[in-house]
Structures are given as structure tokens and as C-alpha cells.
Amino acid sequence: MSAVPACPQCAMENTYPDGEQYICPDCGHEWPMVAAAPADDADNAVVKDANGNVLADGDAVVLIKDLKVKGSSITLKMGTKVKSIRLVGGDHEVDCKMDAGNFMLKACYLRKA
Ligand SMILES: [Zn+2]
């Protein structure tokens, strides 16, 4: 992807990149380049629960829906409490230690207890 997008303001195509942004010389509009989601930054990403509360290591959370564990017959029940979570990077960013075992869950299915 090397093409510079046309100006969103005036639709002219004389735009050019300048550092972190694009500039349109025709109307003077400047706008930020849309950063591609950097996968490597997962460790630094803020993890939020279903209500938008920021989660941290050691937080207690509650499942807000039944979750089937892939590749097993286990279903984690809604309302199950996890005493101490651990945040990890990746798609399933919350490591939950439960009676049934250790599970990687998505933060969007959890609520801070
Ligand atoms: Zn323009």
C-alpha cells in the first residue's frame, strides 16, 4: 500500500505523506495516517472488560455469558468468578485460573467483579 489517498476534504490527489500525516497542498488539509493495528503492541494494549473498565493483572472478574471451551465439552458458566486474572497479549487476552482449569478468555466476555 504505497498510494497516498485523495484528500478527504477536497478530493484532490496532489496529496503527499509528511511524517505521521498526509498533507493536501490544494486546500491545506492535514490528516493523520491511519496506523495499521500493530500486533506486536498487544502487550501494551489496554484490556477492557464488557463495561469498558480497564482490567489489570490480579483483578477478579465474572463471566457475563456461558462460554464453550473449544476442543472440549467444558462450558464455563455465566456468573463464574475468577479470582485473579493475568493479562497476556493476543486475541484471547485474559488468562483465567478456574476450578475447571486454565483458560484464555476474551475480555469482552468478562466483567470486573
Ligand atoms: Zn484538500
Side-chain angles (χ1 to χ4, degrees):
M1 220 187 83
S2 59
V4 177
C7 176
Q9 198 102 304
C10 67
M12 296 297 279
E13 290 176 349
N14 296 324
T15 51
Y16 60 89
D18 179 41
E20 297 282 283
Q21 57 190 3
Y22 292 118
I23 293 176
C24 171
D26 291 299
C27 70
H29 185 56
E30 300 175 4
W31 69 104
M33 292 180 186
V34 180
D40 294 343
D41 274 6
D43 286 345
N44 304 324
V46 175
V47 177
K48 291 181 179 172
D49 73 359
N51 294 332
N53 293 313
V54 176
L55 296 174
D57 282 351
D59 275 353
V61 296
V62 174
L63 268 62
I64 59 165
K65 62 174 282 184
D66 286 358
L67 295 176
K68 276 213 174 86
V69 179
K70 260 187 205 151
S72 81
S73 59
I74 298 171
T75 299
L76 305 173
K77 289 285 178 200
M78 184 178 109
T80 302
K81 206 169 174 184
V82 183
K83 270 189 216 143
S84 181
I85 60 167
R86 200 168 60 86
L87 299 183
V88 292
D91 186 29
H92 293 62
E93 57 275 87
V94 185
D95 185 10
C96 298
K97 212 175 219 161
M98 301 184 205
D99 294 340
N102 251 34
F103 302 101
M104 305 290 289
L105 302 179
K106 284 182 183 261
C108 59
Y109 298 137
L110 304 171
R111 177 170 60 76
K112 208 166 178 170

